[in-house]
Amino acid sequence: MADAIKSIPYVDEKEEKLERVSLDKEFHSEEQIPPEVLKLVNDGRPFPPDPYAIEEFNALTFRAIIVGSMLGLIVGASNVYLGLKTGFTFSASLFGSLFGFAIIKPLSAILPQKLGGGHFGPKENCTVQTAATSAGGLTSLFVAAVPAMYHLGLMTTPKQDIGRLFLLTAITAFYGLFFAIPLRKYYILQQKLVFPTPTAVAFTIRSIHSTTSAAARKAASKKIKILAWSFLGSIAFKTVSQYAPGILWDWHIFWWFYSWGGKGAIAVESWGWWIELTPAFLGCGALSGLNASWSFLAGCILAWGVIGPAIVKSGVAFGKQIDPKNHPGYISYMSMTMKDPINAPSPRYWMLWPGVMIMLCYSFAEVAWSAPLFYRSFKSAYANIVYVIKERRAARAGREFNDPKPVEQENSDDPAPPHEQVPVWAWMGGLSLATAGTLIVGKLSFGMDVGVGILALILAFIFSFIGVQSSGTTDVNPVGTIAKASQLVIGGVTKAQGIDVKRAQTTNLIAGSIAGQAASHAVDMVGDLKTGHLIGASPKSQFWAQIAGSVLGIWLSVGLFVLFATAYPCIPNPELECDAFGMPAVAAWKSVTEAVTRPKLPIPPTSGYTAIALGIVSIITVPIKYLLVPEKYRVWVPNWNAIGLGFVVPQSYYAIAMVIGAHVAQFWSNRFPASWEVWGFALTAGMIAGEGLGGVLTALLVIVKADGATHGSPVACPLKEYCG
């Protein structure tokens, strides 16, 4: 989404400042409105008001909270589905803003005021997307840390543990939200960070509510129709395809070649190389771009096309024959269940450690390279805090205070009037309650030492700065790196304490979740506040919308996880083969936890050496990129995070789909930019969310025995067995 702003109309990137035109005079027709009144410039200041917009007196409405939270549920469901498959999750902000408009706008004109009717404007639309973001953002806990706890034997079953799951979700839901409020003034008003995706959402909300021309109204209507049809079409395709997966979903091309007489093709099939017609990952590729998509595919090729066959041939890793009697060359290399994982690992287990090492090293190297930026950020924030304290002390003592303001404060007047700003008691009180709740629940429900809990909250505080700064400048929230860094620190503490392995692992996962989730929610909250700042929405309304969305999201996210775990018992049970979900994030969290808590590392020696070598290469790439490669060519430098993901995710067909989607988007946006602006983000958002909700519907069908595995056809599947 970082390039999204470039394709949005009304943006003049060459013009850094816009002379604001007073709107005190009355314009009697659209032709009389000076063009500069309606021109939107991404200069960090709120958009100029639309002279034809109806004034909004209350943007925090019941309909906005309910619709936004329900839309967040849809994206949350999609994130559980996609996250368990590949570790990817997406924000609900763009989806919530577009679909919120599509739902509420027509109803506002039809229903009476008491039943949810009445004017629906951009500020209330901002409330909708804020609630959607908070409700949909809580599910990330259930695609990584929570399943890892089950895989390590630290929990029993999701149904039995449902109370603890609610408590865990609750203690990780609010700390970052409350802490984000004071960050608004620093990062949005003073530093004026871009926040690419939230800014793109603000432009989208402004454009779909534009009433300045028939063309603007037509474009808004078209976006909504595209989103609706792509969303419904993706749901339908995902649901129907399970009944003939060999034709409609997975194309096992090399199995077909093998069955037609090409005996060597079975080896390619065994390594997982086929094509999947997945709308979600076609959409992911369109949004992620060529660099991330090709880097992901390059990682898959390196892992499952080069290193994998080499370690099997040399006797370092071992596969398992699927049908030795009839098809001796058909072998599974993807098992995570082994008797001796150190001396006789499967290729998938062997690849796990290089993949995790690559992602950790590259992420930390990127953060370290930005250390001067973070230092200046902390230094500036400290100067602001000191200035405010001195100013208030002088006011209480009745003394005159003439110290010069820090540079960043000189032009940081808050455009939100005092009655629309979040009261200090609200976020400070909430922060205190969240802190106390985290320590109490951590101790009583999970046995986490109070001192370790305090350390986890301090790490969350520090890493929130890094997450917001990174997201505001690059649109990348390094939440995975933040969580892993917390795990490493906490792992050192628990080893020093000498507590038993199981308790140390529980503490490690809980503390990592607290830090990672806090940073993630802080980024979401500040991003929403950036959208609201540009639209001119009330920060207080957004604050309460975030809280309401989070409260509803706690219940919805836990329910979704229990639903998926019931339909697919392999999610919490590592002893079962899980063809439906690769769970790379789960594997990464589990491996880091084991590495920092066990006396002996459960790593095959050759895998460890390879991990160190590739980790060093990924680190070296960072200074080369910034020192030797001109900025315009850096897009060609491989993304080692995506390469590492290719090692951890054995399903190479996701990378293939992403590359296809990225190329289609690149061609479309370059050749037909106006068409892409209307179609692009609405189409891809619908495809991603639609397949996710189709996955939820499929899970329900599995529970009632009406799914494709029960009533579907195995035609075109390997071994003539159902492959959905």
Side-chain angles (χ1 to χ4, degrees), residues 189-204:
L189 302 183
Q190 295 177 16
Q191 285 204 342
K192 294 183 172 63
L193 296 187
V194 176
F195 291 95
T197 293
T199 298
V201 172
F203 276 101
T204 300

Side-chain angles (χ1 to χ4, degrees), residues 359-447:
M359 290 189 286
L360 281 175
C361 289
Y362 186 69
S363 297
F364 282 128
E366 285 279 4
V367 171
W369 192 263
S370 301
L373 179 66
F374 295 130
Y375 170 74
R376 290 193 296 270
S377 175
F378 279 113
K379 184 178 179 182
S380 178
Y382 175 75
N384 289 331
I385 293 171
V386 171
Y387 178 85
V388 170
I389 292 173
K390 288 183 177 179
E391 185 180 40
R392 290 181 179 176
R393 284 178 178 173
R396 284 196 298 266
R399 291 185 286 103
E400 187 176 355
F401 184 72
N402 297 316
D403 286 11
K405 284 186 176 182
V407 176
E408 292 83 357
Q409 281 200 3
E410 291 180 359
N411 297 311
S412 62
D413 292 336
D414 199 331
H419 69 276
E420 290 187 354
Q421 296 183 27
V422 181
V424 174
W425 66 263
W427 68 264
M428 279 292 291
L431 188 63
S432 301
L433 290 174
T435 300
T438 298
L439 298 177
I440 292 171
V441 171
K443 177 64 176 178
L444 298 182
S445 294
F446 298 97

Side-chain angles (χ1 to χ4, degrees), residues 100-187:
F101 179 88
I103 294 171
I104 299 179
K105 189 67 174 179
L107 292 178
S108 66
I110 298 172
L111 297 176
Q113 191 86 25
K114 293 182 179 180
L115 297 178
H119 175 65
F120 177 67
K123 294 180 181 180
E124 189 178 357
N125 205 156
C126 193
T127 302
V128 174
Q129 73 88 25
T130 300
T133 302
S134 60
L138 298 178
T139 51
S140 58
L141 192 67
F142 296 97
V143 302
V146 169
M149 295 180 74
Y150 285 100
H151 286 206
L152 289 168
L154 307 176
M155 307 274 271
T156 50
T157 68
K159 289 184 178 179
Q160 290 176 294
D161 296 322
I162 194 165
R164 298 175 75 196
L165 293 177
F166 277 123
L167 290 172
L168 176 60
T169 310
I171 65 173
T172 59
F174 297 106
Y175 182 82
L177 187 160
F178 293 124
F179 175 66
I181 298 303
L183 299 184
R184 170 183 173 269
K185 187 166 186 178
Y186 178 67
Y187 284 111

Side-chain angles (χ1 to χ4, degrees), residues 527-659:
D528 286 339
L529 290 171
K530 174 69 174 184
T531 301
H533 169 72
L534 295 175
I535 295 295
S538 162
K540 184 164 68 174
S541 294
Q542 290 186 277
F543 173 72
W544 294 116
Q546 270 270 358
I547 292 176
S550 295
V551 170
L552 292 173
I554 291 170
W555 300 91
L556 299 175
S557 57
V558 174
L560 282 170
F561 177 70
V562 173
L563 171 65
F564 273 94
T566 302
Y568 304 98
C570 60
I571 292 174
N573 187 352
E575 299 299 321
L576 301 176
E577 293 293 335
C578 206
D579 297 327
F581 301 103
M583 296 185 282
V586 177
W589 275 72
K590 177 185 175 184
S591 62
V592 172
T593 301
E594 289 181 315
V596 299
T597 56
R598 287 192 174 183
K600 183 179 179 181
L601 295 178
I603 304 175
T606 53
S607 176
Y609 301 145
T610 305
I612 294 171
L614 291 175
I616 292 172
V617 172
S618 69
I619 292 172
I620 293 173
T621 303
V622 174
I624 290 175
K625 179 173 71 172
Y626 290 110
L627 294 177
L628 302 180
V629 180
E631 187 171 355
K632 64 179 180 180
Y633 296 119
R634 288 175 190 167
V635 68
W636 300 103
V637 178
N639 182 328
W640 280 90
N641 263 329
I643 291 174
L645 186 65
F647 277 70
V648 178
V649 178
Q651 293 86 358
S652 54
Y653 40 83
Y654 296 141
I656 294 171
M658 286 184 64
V659 167

